[in-house]
Amino acid sequence: MATISNNAALIVPPPTSKGITNDIRGVKPPVAVPNDWAWVIWVLGALVALVAAVWAWRRWQKQRLHKLMVPPTPPHVRARQRLHAALTHIQDPRLFCGEVSGALRVYLEERFRFHATERTTEEFLIELQNTNILTVQQKQSLTDFLQSCDLLKFARYEPAESALRDLHHCALRLVDETQYERVTAEGATVNA
């Protein structure tokens, strides 16, 4: 009978007395490969970024300067627009007077930097009498106008449409008279 043998079997050597084998070593860290052109890449990148920033800034400046500058609407024009819009409420006297009075108060505040919208009519008129913003006739006209509006707003007085149109005309006349600065005989400029 034939004997079966295993001559190709792996023979494992017995461990050494130290228990350490020298045939497998640990992984070494990567070796840095010097690149003599790295500084060129960094400089080119910085130049490209700088050129892009300058281009973007110039484009922004150009767009900002080329935008059509819309001048602000003068106070007298806005007042006329609001007074014209108030005419749509002439059938409701309280609303109409509130709109007309509000338009005139806002105009006086914008035109003369006079705090007309934050005060009652009495406070406003007392302060107005101590200024030279308006002429005596304009002050009297404004006093009559504001008192008539208060009568309509708070006393529930119901006037005819012609009286409402007179109030509207009075407000327009005051805006027309005060839209420009007056020059006195001495040459001094006075707000009017």
Side-chain angles (χ1 to χ4, degrees):
M1 245 189 65
T3 49
I4 301 175
S5 80
N6 193 0
N7 290 338
L10 178 64
I11 301 175
V12 177
T16 59
S17 61
K18 296 179 184 176
I20 300 174
T21 58
N22 289 334
D23 59 343
I24 299 178
R25 296 186 181 118
V27 178
K28 292 184 179 181
V31 177
V33 178
N35 185 354
D36 293 338
W37 294 97
W39 67 272
V40 174
I41 293 171
W42 282 104
V43 168
L44 286 177
L47 284 175
V48 167
L50 181 65
V51 167
V54 168
W55 176 81
W57 182 77
R58 289 180 121 190
R59 182 176 173 142
W60 177 72
Q61 286 290 330
K62 196 180 290 186
Q63 286 178 350
R64 198 180 91 193
L65 292 175
H66 288 299
K67 283 184 180 175
L68 180 60
M69 295 293 289
V70 178
T73 306
H76 65 276
V77 173
R78 283 194 302 275
R80 281 196 198 101
Q81 290 169 346
R82 286 188 67 188
L83 288 170
H84 180 69
L87 282 175
T88 61
H89 303 292
I90 200 159
Q91 300 305 320
D92 183 1
R94 289 185 71 207
L95 181 60
F96 175 77
C97 284
E99 292 288 321
V100 172
S101 162
L104 194 57
R105 285 176 179 257
V106 168
Y107 166 72
L108 291 171
E109 187 166 318
E110 290 175 350
R111 173 69 175 89
F112 301 109
R113 300 192 191 340
F114 197 66
H115 302 290
T117 58
E118 302 168 357
R119 298 198 166 102
T120 64
T121 300
E122 283 182 35
E123 294 171 338
F124 173 67
L125 292 175
I126 289 170
E127 186 175 344
L128 181 66
Q129 297 306 322
N130 297 326
T131 65
N132 63 352
I133 292 175
L134 302 174
T135 65
V136 174
Q137 295 85 8
Q138 290 170 340
K139 288 179 184 178
Q140 186 57 48
S141 175
L142 181 60
T143 300
D144 294 342
F145 169 80
L146 291 175
Q147 287 174 345
S148 297
C149 285
D150 283 352
L151 184 65
L152 288 167
K153 289 192 293 187
F154 302 117
R156 299 190 184 267
Y157 171 68
E158 295 287 332
E161 185 176 321
S162 61
L164 294 175
R165 290 197 182 274
D166 288 343
L167 279 176
H168 185 266
H169 178 71
C170 179
L172 278 174
R173 187 177 66 241
L174 188 64
V175 170
D176 289 340
E177 290 175 358
T178 60
Q179 71 182 354
Y180 300 111
E181 294 179 347
R182 286 184 291 130
V183 178
T184 62
E186 296 82 29
T189 303
V190 178
N191 286 333

